[in-house]
Amino acid sequence: MIGFGDIEQAIKDLCDQQKSSGKWSWLATVRSYGGEFDEDLLNIVKRTPAIWVTTTGDGAPKKLAHNKYQYFIKVAVMVGSSSKRNEEARRHGAGTDIGSYEMLTEVWKLFIGNTLSKADIQGLTPLVLGRTKTIFNALVRDQSLSVLAQEFTTSFIITASDRDRDEQDEEVGEIRKIYTDYYYQPSEKTPEDEADASDVIHLKE
């Protein structure tokens, strides 16, 4: 069964593959997002060009059967670049420095419609492009920092085991009789009181 961690790791693995193949030779850091943006921004600058990945649920699952659900996922791929030149350079790039806009374009090309099957993920619907958000446009000491977050949505099917359901059905068994107690003044009675009358209803097979 697919999990959040599997999807997140698969995206990081594909980014690493791009780096090791030389297609993304500019990439310095790939990691899961763990609150780095709450740290000193200078530490983020030192890791750029960088990609951070985080995964979360996206709305309520859709029930398909008694033990089957379609589970919706939102993935955020964040790209970060920095430059000592100026604000424009951190977004557009300059010289050998890649900008956050170009990084975002590379992420689009790699992940739009991707099922992550090349990272050994099976059963995931193709990634659908979502919103792009600006996380940072900041000046940190003598460097400009730009971080953009690109959202993707996808889903997979969760199928629960029928074992527990089958065991429960076996324990309940077939209902043949229904026992009923009657209280003539129920407002004055409690379940511990003796019933005023009782009956047994026999069900036909």
Side-chain angles (χ1 to χ4, degrees):
M1 184 180 295
I2 306 173
F4 283 10
D6 300 319
I7 296 171
E8 200 167 290
Q9 187 60 51
I11 290 175
K12 292 190 297 179
D13 288 345
L14 291 180
C15 291
D16 280 328
Q17 289 175 20
Q18 291 292 98
K19 178 181 179 180
S20 60
S21 70
K23 295 178 180 178
W24 287 7
S25 58
W26 43 264
L27 185 58
T29 306
V30 180
R31 61 173 57 186
S32 295
Y33 178 68
E36 286 86 347
F37 300 154
D38 296 329
E39 302 174 3
D40 184 352
L41 293 184
L42 185 59
N43 291 330
I44 299 176
V45 169
K46 293 177 181 178
R47 298 173 188 149
T48 60
I51 289 178
W52 298 268
V53 184
T54 185
T55 309
T56 185
D58 186 26
K62 180 181 179 181
K63 187 173 183 179
L64 304 177
H66 77 272
N67 67 332
K68 185 178 293 185
Y69 289 82
Q70 183 177 10
Y71 197 93
F72 301 96
I73 294 288
K74 181 182 292 182
V75 179
V77 180
M78 292 165 276
V79 298
S81 67
S82 59
S83 175
K84 290 185 176 181
R85 298 172 183 263
N86 52 44
E87 182 179 346
E88 182 179 2
R90 76 188 180 205
R91 295 196 304 271
H92 295 273
T96 58
D97 295 334
I98 188 170
S100 58
Y101 288 170
E102 186 178 350
M103 293 176 68
L104 189 66
T105 300
E106 292 298 320
V107 166
W108 289 343
K109 290 191 292 185
L110 179 61
F111 289 114
I112 291 177
N114 200 320
T115 62
L116 308 185
S117 59
K118 290 186 177 180
D120 298 325
I121 296 293
Q122 302 296 326
L124 196 70
T125 60
L127 293 174
V128 176
L129 188 68
R131 295 182 301 174
T132 304
K133 299 179 180 179
T134 298
I135 306 300
F136 283 117
N137 267 324
L139 182 64
V140 184
R141 305 235 176 132
D142 60 340
Q143 298 210 47
S144 295
L145 173 67
S146 174
V147 178
L148 304 173
Q150 178 59 61
E151 294 180 351
F152 294 91
T153 55
T154 181
S155 67
F156 58 88
I157 303 299
I158 298 176
T159 302
S161 171
D162 276 339
R163 183 185 62 190
D164 293 339
R165 183 183 178 90
D166 292 341
E167 289 176 353
Q168 184 178 15
D169 290 344
E170 290 174 2
E171 290 175 1
V172 172
E174 187 176 356
I175 299 176
R176 300 292 182 87
K177 300 178 182 179
I178 298 177
Y179 295 88
T180 306
D181 290 332
Y182 299 97
Y183 298 91
Y184 298 140
Q185 293 180 306
S187 61
E188 299 178 4
K189 300 290 186 178
T190 66
E192 290 75 20
D193 291 332
E194 184 177 353
D196 294 310
S198 298
D199 195 7
V200 179
I201 301 173
H202 295 271
L203 304 179
K204 293 182 179 180
E205 296 184 3

